[in-house]
Amino acid sequence: MGSDDIKTRFAPSPTGFLHVGGARTALFNWLFARRHGGKFVLRIEDTDQVRSTTQSAAGILQDMLWLGLNWDEGPVVGGGKNQYFQSMRLAIYQPYLEQLIREDRAYEAFETPQQLAAMRAESEKRKTPFRYRRNMPGRAKKGEGPVVIRLEMPWEEIRFQDNILGEIRVAGVEHDDIVIRKSDGFPTYHFAVVIDDHDMGITHVLRAQEHLMNTPKHLALYAALNWRPPLYAHLPLVFNMDNSKMSKRDKTKAARAALQLYARQRQDPTFAQLAVRCGLPAGVIADFVARKTEDSTLAGKLAEALDVELPEIDVQDFRHSGYLSDALVNFIALIGWSPGQNREFLTRREMIDLFSLENIGKTSGRFDRKKLHWMNGEYIRRSRLQELVAAVESFSQVTDYPIKQADEPTLRVLLAMYQERMATLAEMARNSTFFFCTPRYDQAAVKKYIQTGDGQAILERILELLKPITPWDKELLSPVLERILAMGEKRGAAAQVLRVAVSGGAVSPPLLEMLALLGRDTTLSRIQQALGMFAPVEKTTDSQPWKRDKME
RNA sequence: GCCCUCAUCGUCUAGAGGCCUAGGACACGGGCUUUUCACGCCUGUAACUGGGGUUCGAAUCCCCAUGAGGGCACCA
């Protein structure tokens, strides 16, 4: 087989958003195909009529494109016919089903789900594993229940060569006659993958290790149909840092924890106050906390109202959090794969050139958010301004920060300011709001720098120094700033007073750039405003520290 | 419970019998730089799961134990 015949696929089921784990599987398949000059197919496995949705499918396509994982065959590019959705391929499966029955490799079964559950419970009681087999006693008779079709699995050991794990063997007694057509007439996943992979000419299947035990089933199907199976490679899994499985559940879990903390701290056990604040019925929130609902969109809204961040799980989450797709792809590629030579930063092109099944490891990995965060910051620092402008534009499409309104020249100035002090675009978006809106003053910072000692006096002095500057540009600002830095006993102390007055907090980009962008009017009026708002008052007023509003 | 797989710093990994007193990166600690915060630079702590073999020699090969994970659906 010539290497240009290589064809891989990614076959997500459209039952939610594209998960990072899925994205990694997609990436490895994409890399493998590109490495060998082959084709990469995207196929939507929507044989679960209950859980599949078209919005989900659309979202997955969008995420794939955002990640830069283009497909050679699949929805939209697949020739206009919807032949890459399994639900549209029902007619294709039918003849093979008939063939298997005709050849007596498959047979009908009539148990109801309840009966099957009872049989399993019975086996469990006897502490023997349940296997549905054609010759087993007590099978339901025709007409007794819904009709499914099962494949008669072989009775001998099945062994195969996995391209990552090596030889895998499963004894004959372990096999279970799998359902290949459900009672609703739809093929099961097992049947549809085999037919589709064969039909589409897939040569290599790289999939998560959770599919390892499905492989004998698929192999049996290939054998029954007399087809040559593809080559398999099972990828190591990715978990959370605490070794739990990464799932959407992590988001609802984190949201619930935040809500419980909130209820305790704010003494709002019925969430009445919170309900008002975020415009949701208190009952909905209470149900959510009581685990009656498992809605991650709701979790997101609540987290926003509480100003907490939920762990990112889906590709979209990372996009919302301001991660660059290049960084995410790079990071994900490194879990379970190593290009060697201590290399870490790779473009897609470099990954393609270095990719090989040989340097995929066998051990499962953990998703270290801190490292991704660092790597994203590194990508931002290494980017050119123009690339960052594009990234912010993409980011703004899915988020709603004031930075959205910035025109390109402003954006470039902001980007230059924040490039070295942000790790995600969201950090810049959040921290730069004071450029667009009246700052929310951090009371602790105000107290520490303005309402203290000669803070007021210093601020007045600063105002006087700044007032006469025209034109308001860096050249003229710079020497004045130098004088401000020299004020007071401790060099730089006055800078903090100015910083807080203008930005609202004790942390901001360097004053020179910041003041230049803010402009003369805004700067002066904010100082004046601060002077008025934070006039020295008697100590007694700050007796309600819990009411301090939080900056950020 | 049964079946399958895996096992190097806290984390991602390098290591394909001698190059290993185990390398890199994140995180963490210390220091320098500094108008805040970052960035940057220097530097430190930290690992071959345990036990048996094989071999002149094992992180690397074999076996057992232990641990971790996956699978046991008319879900994919």
Side-chain angles (χ1 to χ4, degrees):
Chain A
M1 182 173 64
S3 69
D4 51 354
D5 292 330
I6 280 179
K7 210 180 206 185
T8 63
R9 48 74 168 176
F10 176 56
S13 58
T15 54
F17 299 110
L18 179 62
H19 189 266
V20 270
R24 190 183 67 130
T25 303
L27 172 64
F28 283 15
N29 278 283
W30 181 85
L31 286 171
F32 189 73
R34 296 285 173 261
R35 172 72 182 91
H36 298 284
K39 293 254 162 64
F40 175 59
V41 178
L42 179 62
R43 180 175 74 222
I44 305 296
E45 307 216 324
D46 57 349
T47 50
D48 184 338
Q49 290 191 80
V50 179
R51 298 195 302 153
S52 299
T53 66
T54 52
Q55 303 97 287
S56 164
I60 289 170
L61 302 190
Q62 209 180 30
D63 290 341
M64 288 286 289
L65 293 173
W66 182 71
L67 291 169
L69 305 181
N70 58 321
W71 52 96
D72 305 300
E73 291 176 27
V76 188
V77 298
K81 299 169 285 178
N82 283 318
Q83 54 186 342
Y84 292 93
F85 286 81
Q86 286 182 331
S87 60
M88 304 293 190
R89 299 170 55 84
L90 262 25
I92 294 173
Y93 309 122
Q94 193 55 34
Y96 297 117
L97 211 49
E98 283 162 13
Q99 180 191 331
L100 288 174
I101 292 177
R102 201 180 327 119
E103 294 173 358
D104 203 33
R105 313 298 294 254
Y107 61 94
E108 294 182 314
F110 312 98
E111 284 77 12
T112 62
Q114 293 74 15
Q115 281 173 305
L116 286 169
M119 290 161 96
R120 287 197 182 92
E122 180 59 28
S123 290
E124 181 133 353
K125 227 189 292 172
R126 287 199 313 266
K127 293 198 169 170
T128 55
F130 176 73
R131 306 273 184 259
Y132 193 105
R133 303 253 50 187
R134 191 172 192 173
N135 65 351
M136 71 184 201
R139 287 186 45 212
K141 302 278 181 310
K142 191 177 179 92
E144 286 183 4
V147 183
V148 300
I149 294 174
R150 286 179 186 267
L151 176 77
E152 181 174 346
M153 288 288 287
W155 300 84
E156 321 77 58
E157 175 184 82
I158 293 181
R159 56 169 77 181
F160 64 98
Q161 215 36 50
D162 182 274
N163 280 262
I164 291 171
L165 298 172
E167 186 176 72
I168 308 291
R169 326 161 59 140
V170 179
V173 289
E174 300 298 332
H175 304 327
D176 191 56
D177 288 352
I178 51 165
V179 172
I180 57 176
R181 193 190 70 179
K182 310 181 213 178
S183 57
D184 66 2
F186 267 56
T188 59
Y189 157 74
H190 298 301
F191 192 59
V193 245
V194 167
I195 306 295
D196 287 345
D197 283 346
H198 175 264
D199 186 60
M200 295 177 184
I202 303 302
T203 59
H204 295 253
V205 172
L206 319 204
R207 39 145 72 144
Q209 229 174 78
E210 59 197 10
H211 283 293
L212 190 62
M213 288 300 103
N214 287 332
T215 311
K217 299 170 183 168
H218 300 168
L219 254 12
L221 229 19
Y222 279 101
L225 289 160
N226 226 320
W227 290 340
R228 180 185 174 165
L231 267 25
Y232 290 96
H234 289 90
L235 306 168
L237 265 16
V238 183
F239 299 99
N240 285 314
M241 286 302 277
D242 65 359
N243 250 352
S244 63
K245 203 171 170 181
M246 285 181 85
S247 76
K248 339 93 221 152
R249 280 290 194 70
D250 295 337
K251 282 194 271 183
T252 49
K253 207 173 130 193
R256 263 194 278 271
L259 284 163
Q260 276 157 353
L261 186 70
Y262 160 88
R264 240 176 299 131
Q265 284 187 341
R266 300 302 182 99
Q267 311 203 321
D268 185 13
T270 60
F271 302 106
Q273 295 163 39
L274 184 66
V276 174
R277 189 135 56 86
C278 62
L280 285 161
V284 169
I285 302 175
D287 280 357
F288 175 76
V289 175
R291 294 161 183 266
K292 285 182 191 159
T293 50
E294 204 58 47
D295 182 346
S296 60
T297 314
L298 176 65
K301 279 185 199 154
L302 292 167
E304 210 182 311
L306 293 178
D307 199 19
V308 296
E309 283 173 38
L310 263 24
E312 299 90 354
I313 298 294
D314 299 316
V315 169
Q316 291 198 5
D317 298 334
F318 291 95
R319 190 176 174 188
H320 273 97
S321 292
Y323 286 90
L324 269 34
S325 72
D326 290 356
L328 185 59
V329 164
N330 193 154
F331 178 73
I332 272 173
L334 261 18
I335 306 177
W337 173 68
S338 169
Q341 304 137 22
N342 287 337
R343 305 251 345 237
E344 282 204 302
F345 285 87
L346 304 136
T347 61
R348 288 184 183 74
R349 184 68 245 172
E350 290 168 326
M351 287 187 233
I352 290 168
D353 293 338
L354 293 167
F355 193 77
S356 142
L357 258 25
E358 240 112 89
N359 41 35
I360 291 181
K362 299 178 176 183
T363 45
S364 61
R366 258 129 311 261
F367 194 93
D368 186 347
R369 290 165 195 289
K370 281 189 172 168
K371 185 154 186 179
L372 169 62
H373 188 258
W374 162 79
M375 185 171 260
N376 199 59
E378 203 62 27
Y379 261 89
I380 287 175
R381 271 167 254 130
R382 295 175 184 208
S383 293
R384 279 183 305 230
L385 223 47
Q386 199 50 47
E387 294 166 335
L388 288 177
V389 169
V392 172
E393 275 161 8
S394 162
F395 171 73
S396 289
Q397 280 171 25
V398 296
T399 56
D400 204 19
Y401 289 99
I403 201 170
K404 232 176 150 161
Q405 273 91 54
D407 54 21
E408 190 171 326
T410 308
L411 199 51
R412 297 180 80 95
V413 177
L414 276 171
L415 247 6
M417 242 182 257
Y418 281 98
Q419 184 167 25
E420 298 212 320
R421 62 198 97 235
M422 64 168 153
T424 66
L425 300 178
E427 287 166 16
M428 169 172 80
R430 269 199 303 276
N431 296 335
S432 67
T433 51
F434 72 87
F435 282 105
F436 306 96
C437 325
T438 313
R440 268 175 76 189
Y441 285 94
D442 171 0
Q443 295 302 325
V446 167
K447 204 175 166 212
K448 179 169 178 192
Y449 295 108
I450 301 180
Q451 294 177 316
T452 190
D454 49 358
Q456 281 279 329
I458 289 172
L459 196 51
E460 273 164 24
R461 187 74 216 292
I462 289 172
L463 183 62
E464 294 316 309
L465 284 170
L466 254 20
K467 257 185 190 161
I469 297 180
T470 36
W472 187 266
D473 58 27
K474 285 198 206 171
E475 281 69 23
L476 293 184
L477 238 23
S478 186
V480 176
L481 217 47
E482 192 44 49
R483 291 184 62 188
I484 294 173
L485 288 178
M487 287 167 68
E489 312 103 67
K490 201 174 162 236
R491 182 179 162 82
Q496 284 304 84
V497 182
L498 210 205
R499 190 184 307 281
V500 174
V502 168
S503 75
V507 175
S508 84
L511 287 167
L512 182 62
E513 283 78 10
M514 184 167 101
L515 296 188
L517 179 62
L518 232 28
R520 186 172 196 271
D521 293 350
T522 311
T523 303
L524 298 183
S525 73
R526 281 194 189 168
I527 294 174
Q528 241 142 8
Q529 191 185 9
L531 245 13
M533 277 167 70
F534 308 123
V537 258
E538 294 324 304
K539 308 179 186 339
T540 50
T541 44
D542 195 19
S543 60
Q544 297 181 307
W546 60 87
K547 279 200 173 170
R548 280 177 191 163
D549 53 14
K550 185 169 136 213
M551 176 67 189
E552 241 217 344

